[in-house]
Amino acid sequence: MFNKKLFYGMMVGSSILATSCSQKSTNTMWNDTNPFFEVSKLPYQTADFTKIKNEDFKPALLQGMAEQLAEINKIATNPAAPTFENTLVEMEKSGQLLTRVSHVFGLLTGANTNETLQAIEEEMSPKFAAHSDAIYLNDQLFQRIKSLYENKKSLNLDKESARLLDVYYQRFELAGANLTLSQKDELKKLNGEIASLETKFSNQLLKGTKAGGVTFTKEELAGLSEADLESFKQADGTYLISLLNTTQQPELQNMSNPVSRKKLFDAAWIRTEKNDENDTRATILALVKSRAEKAKLLGFNNYAEWNLQDQMAQNPIAAKGLLNKMIPAATAMAQKDALEFETLAKKENSSNTLSAADWNYYAEKVRKEKYDLDENEMKSYFVLESVVENGLFFMAKELYGITFKKRTDIPTWHEDVKVYELFNEDGSQLGLFYTDYFKRDSKQGGAWMSNIVEQSHLFGTKPVIYNVGNYTKPAKGQPALISYDDVVTTFHEFGHALHGFFANQTYPTLSGTNVSRDFVEFPSQFHEHYVTEPSVLRNYAKHYQTGATIPDALVEKMKKAANFNKGYTLTELLSAASLDLSWHTVSSDQTISNVDEFEKQALIANKTNLPQVPPRYRSTYFSHIFGGGYAAGYFAYIWAEMLDHDAYEWTLENGGMTRENGQILRDKVFSQGNSDNLNEVYKNFRGKNPSIEPMLKYHGLK
């Protein structure tokens, strides 16, 4: 997942550091001991985590907002006629302190939060919304941009500058710049409510997930490996399994005790609906209502119509149309598998029925029986450090000529974090890369990528990027063995990182991953194909004890089993994406009083209501859409998958994994940022519009 806190996405001068220090203000919030008030002197201007304290954030955020508003006011009230330089370039330069502190604040509230940071986040979220409104609802500023937009042809702008003007004009329109004063006041109130509710949801989910961990005895965990048991063992001799932010939990596939399976599955299912302070249902209802009211105020039938205008899909009809093309075939595959798995369950005990809690357990049994493929056997070849250094970096070298060097002199935010410096083929510096893969109670669920520093020629900065995961940390002294799915996730997030590293833009607003949701997942999903690329796989898949390369026989089994259980994985994803659109195509005059009932009816209407195949995320823990930036946009994973399979088909047509192909991909697609219309970017690379056929074939749907 690409992750950028909502208030970043609409911030002017979108989040890049300047090479010079921020101008000191006479404001009393200024404090020479606050590390954010000066540009970091560390390599790449990365954050110095040895100096940053919880109490530094609030004053730096407040000061940053005050400085940027003063800068924006100066631009808006400039008596000189608007020009590209005195309006848009100056806007790009604004807010450097706010950008600096916001990036680190977003990192820590996601990856290593605490009660103090959560309290600051809850207090500041409506202020961030108000800050964005103060910029995007500033009529004087908008009139300057509108004047430039209406006279764009006479400005003789280069392509990237023309795109920047288009993006700003559209952002102001989407933000409500054309509303009346009274409507703007109403919108400001709604934006503050929405920001507060999104933060509240995220914090409720984090606490609910932490509290939802399940304690077992060793006997109750029959079927799990000794390595897994050791990693779950507590000081009192019990075994604690923490929850991942998905419906299914990875341990379920090996747990032979059906009571234990149900206990773990149910804990994940109801983590945030226990009628306590962490119950997210009231938050969801309020959030959906506020979003629908915002859409109506802006002249749209629903939130999805408003929010998808700047996406490749452009509207919910196109997004839903893509999902509907896949749902019938995917659910049919899942139903066929369900019959097979239930038959196996009844062989064990005639009274058994197949539940969602049992699915992964029997799927694993059938996979072993059909393909002689054991997840634990595969894990023994997937050592996390090797996946990163001999998998990700090897792929990057073969395709793009990139090399790496581990850095132990760069401070980090947690002892589990590692730092690497990346270099281009000619030896020039590419950027700094942090990895933070192990789950902990202070970390939000899931996996994501984001920046500490973004690339910009305007400021002469290179990217500083991090990947976050939630893999189980091994017992001390043991190697970190991860599942095949975790390997795929690691490649996925590194694909996001490469997208950021290849950024080649002048303006930070257009740089790197600052693209639409249904494009941003394309580079990440494209690089998943190289998990099983023979030369890559054999370079990283080494047995953790013997060092032996993964045997051909096991690789062949993996290939044969590639589409096994695909009906489930597709259906749970399509179900979640459709559920998201159901929530965000609600109109403001609809009254929803029960989250569970709405979800139930939505699954039926979307034809994804298979009892054994729940959505990947239930509404109550759907962080992407209620706490992150994917509201009405979770379909982006499917849309981007269409792009990634079509692009991968191009590589196969042109010789496969070659250095030449990698350079073409980098130059024509992955380095383009948002410097051009993204549909045109893809068409210019491929020579035609993307086809859905390669994706359908890959999934066995055609």
Side-chain angles (χ1 to χ4, degrees), residues 497-512:
L498 289 174
H499 191 189
F501 281 124
F502 292 157
N504 189 28
Q505 280 67 58
T506 297
Y507 306 112
T509 290
L510 305 178
S511 181

Side-chain angles (χ1 to χ4, degrees), residues 575-585 622 625 630-635:
S575 184
S578 299
L579 178 61
D580 168 31
L581 288 174
S582 294
W583 277 115
H584 291 107
T585 49
F622 207 158
I625 67 169
Y630 282 74
Y634 193 70
F635 79 92

Side-chain angles (χ1 to χ4, degrees), residues 611-622:
Q612 302 99 335
V613 189
R616 182 169 175 81
Y617 304 98
R618 286 191 79 201
S619 304
T620 48
Y621 48 88
F622 207 158

Side-chain angles (χ1 to χ4, degrees), residues 590-601:
Q590 284 181 258
T591 300
I592 304 169
S593 58
N594 187 302
V595 170
D596 296 325
E597 184 61 25
F598 179 88
E599 179 177 291
K600 177 183 176 182
Q601 294 305 317

Side-chain angles (χ1 to χ4, degrees), residues 538 549-557:
R538 290 185 171 88
T549 301
I550 190 168
D552 292 341
L554 181 54
V555 174
E556 191 60 30
K557 292 177 189 177

